[in-house]
Amino acid sequence: MHISQGFVFPWHFRLFGILLLLGGLAASTVNLILSLVMGVVGFTLISLRAGIFFDLENKSYQPFHSILGLKFGKKLLLKEIEKIYLNQNQERRKMYSAHTATGHTSENTIYDGYLKFIDGEKVYLKSSKKKNAINMEFKSLAQYLHVSFTDNTHQI
């Protein structure tokens, strides 16, 4: 079973990657090496994703980065797991405009999921703004791994 953490780079880096791809296409008539470098960097910015894969048969887990479905990452021993849990955090951003001195503050609730081993080590699993979706995903992971799932979000 795997948990997808989404794209590694934020949207503005991916937009830059699209521009690099288009620039690489335009540069292909002038300089082939520059075109290939721009294309590879642009494609990497656009498509690089992260996640974590759990394999109960081999008792391992693998944090990975993937491009075109090819996963790169080191397999680690899956030690005894205490629990999977979900925390709630507040994200605040203050934006200023040229016309006001006070600015505008926007707030979002972010849900972060972690796996905790018996020895106290924690592994980040995923973040989301959608509580129900991440809750269902972690419940199915907890069932797959035969561990308990704790939702700490109601305490805040």
Side-chain angles (χ1 to χ4, degrees), residues 28-88:
S28 65
T29 59
V30 178
N31 188 339
L32 187 59
I33 293 175
L34 176 64
S35 173
L36 288 174
V37 169
M38 289 174 72
V40 168
V41 171
F43 185 75
T44 301
L45 288 174
I46 293 169
S47 64
L48 191 63
R49 299 180 67 89
I52 187 166
F53 178 76
F54 294 95
D55 184 5
L56 284 182
E57 286 182 20
N58 297 323
K59 297 188 183 219
S60 66
Y61 71 100
Q62 177 184 13
F64 66 84
H65 288 93
S66 71
I67 296 178
L68 292 175
L70 299 173
K71 296 176 180 161
F72 304 95
K74 183 179 177 184
K75 285 189 178 182
L76 303 169
L77 178 66
L78 187 61
K79 302 176 275 191
E80 190 174 350
I81 301 169
E82 180 181 333
K83 65 181 176 178
I84 294 173
Y85 63 96
L86 186 66
N87 288 342
Q88 176 178 332

Side-chain angles (χ1 to χ4, degrees), residues 94-105:
K94 191 157 191 170
M95 296 172 270
Y96 295 96
S97 69
H99 304 291
T100 62
T102 58
H104 171 72
T105 302

